[in-house]
Amino acid sequence: MPAITVENPLTLPRVAAPADAAARPVPAVTTAPSGFEGEGFPVRRAFAGINHRHLDPFIMMDQMGEVEYQPGEPKGTPWHPHRGFETVTYIIDGIFDHQDSNGGGGTITNGDTQWMTAGAGLLHIEAPPEQLVLSGGLFHGLQLWVNLPAKDKMMAPRYQDIRGGSVQLLTSPDGGALLRVIAGELDGHRGPGITHTPITMVHATLAPGAEITLPWREDFNGLAYVLAGRGSAGAERRPVRLGQTAVFGAGSSLTVRADEKQDSRTPDLEVVLLGGRPIREPMAHYGPFVMNTREELQQAFEDFQKGRLGTVPAVHGMSEGGL
């Protein structure tokens, strides 16, 4: 799990919550069911079974892989539409291509993030490049959906290409954890992702036995999803493992700890920490559209069917009718 790393975390700025910070409890731990997405790549539905009031402003998150593809096996998604939210694709291992009908796109690999604001709507495609299809190889990543408030749902689409080398790297006081701030702010340190809805997104790697207690905005919710390894969450040390999400309650700090013993294939605890300021607006979600009302959903489908969300670039030899 390379993502972005450093040889000596003690060279990085150190982050810790104040001693008097109110510790957030962990009232719930959920286990992600497994399924398939797009043309058949395996995913874990990280937020399945969690009430939306604990997720807002997040909508869903899929852990893609970790999977070792044989030659000819790598799969992606066909062209499809989106409206009303943002997709965040974070690649930990492997390589992925993105293209959209608004002119955005590119190739991301270890530690890179593509941040696509669908806004009023567009079409896009995500797929492994031809060389990966031919060779096979390791693939592992995340896709997170972040809601937009009603005032921004019909904004012009936007695309951000966030290279792994631009993320803000931090560590814990003892150097036992590497913190990658992808978006938002952690203790005054900002990540490169520009968000319409205030959020924080951090990928943390904790060595066996390491613990982090981080300051966390009281007006944000708090979630910790385990990408690999075993550990615990909250001051009460609720056990968590690969494919589980810890839902934090109210407070001004959150704690995650790695078990002393990890398995040989996963030497560290890998966890994604998410927080955001709830939008607290009605949400109407169906398929690739996230709006505020059923009528807006119906309009999104009509606009898509009439070609108003864009057309597939001709370079791919596809027509809109092929969707």
Side-chain angles (χ1 to χ4, degrees):
M1 187 174 290
I4 297 298
T5 190
V6 295
E7 288 189 13
N8 182 8
L10 289 173
T11 62
L12 301 172
R14 305 181 194 187
V15 175
D20 61 351
R24 288 177 175 243
V26 177
V29 173
T30 64
T31 300
S34 298
F36 294 92
E37 186 55 79
E39 296 172 342
F41 61 84
V43 298
R44 286 186 174 92
R45 307 287 191 193
F47 296 159
I50 301 176
N51 189 292
H52 178 66
R53 72 177 184 273
H54 300 305
L55 298 177
D56 186 14
F58 307 111
I59 302 164
M60 58 158 279
M61 186 169 74
D62 284 347
Q63 181 180 9
M64 306 180 292
E66 182 178 6
V67 59
E68 183 76 42
Y69 282 121
Q70 297 302 308
E73 284 187 341
K75 298 175 175 67
T77 65
W79 283 94
H80 58 283
H82 286 306
R83 172 180 280 180
F85 65 102
E86 301 182 285
T87 67
V88 182
T89 305
Y90 174 50
I91 297 300
I92 300 166
D93 289 290
I95 186 168
F96 223 37
D97 285 341
H98 167 91
Q99 186 180 11
D100 65 50
S101 57
N102 194 51
T107 299
I108 52 174
T109 187
N110 303 342
D112 296 338
T113 301
Q114 289 176 336
W115 199 296
M116 186 187 78
T117 304
L122 45 60
L123 309 177
H124 82 141
I125 187 171
E126 299 157 304
E130 184 178 0
Q131 66 265 30
L132 181 62
V133 176
L134 293 175
S135 66
L138 185 62
F139 181 80
H140 189 197
L142 285 176
Q143 186 167 98
L144 171 70
W145 289 14
V146 185
N147 202 4
L148 288 170
K151 66 181 181 64
D152 293 329
K153 282 195 178 293
M154 296 300 286
M155 68 175 292
R158 184 180 68 181
Y159 179 82
Q160 298 176 68
D161 187 9
I162 303 171
R163 292 296 150 181
S166 70
V167 302
Q168 175 69 61
L169 299 180
L170 307 168
T171 190
S172 52
D174 63 359
L178 175 61
L179 309 171
R180 307 167 187 87
V181 185
I182 298 168
E185 183 179 86
L186 184 62
D187 198 28
H189 302 276
R190 294 201 63 85
I194 300 170
T195 69
H196 291 281
T197 304
I199 72 166
T200 295
M201 180 179 182
V202 179
H203 173 194
T205 300
L206 284 75
E211 181 175 287
I212 52 174
T213 298
L214 304 177
W216 210 251
R217 282 179 50 167
E218 292 190 66
D219 61 335
F220 277 21
N221 58 5
L223 302 159
Y225 176 74
V226 180
L227 292 164
R230 298 189 306 272
S232 60
E236 67 272 45
R237 294 194 175 183
R238 289 281 299 265
V240 290
R241 55 175 170 77
L242 167 64
Q244 291 189 321
T245 300
V247 179
F248 287 89
S252 56
S253 72
L254 55 79
T255 297
V256 176
R257 187 180 189 279
D259 283 357
E260 295 282 354
K261 292 185 178 180
Q262 304 287 336
D263 60 48
S264 58
R265 187 174 178 275
T266 308
D268 302 310
L269 174 67
E270 303 281 352
V271 61
V272 172
L273 304 173
L274 293 166
R277 189 172 68 201
I279 296 173
R280 295 192 176 96
E281 294 177 347
M283 187 177 73
H285 172 203
Y286 189 82
F289 306 123
V290 183
M291 306 303 292
N292 293 103
T293 68
R294 183 179 179 84
E295 290 72 25
E296 289 171 345
L297 274 184
Q298 292 171 334
Q299 185 64 55
F301 276 102
E302 179 182 331
D303 288 347
F304 167 56
Q305 291 165 352
K306 293 186 176 180
R308 297 171 185 153
L309 300 192
T311 57
V312 174
V315 67
H316 278 260
M318 297 174 62
S319 65
E320 192 176 346
L323 292 170

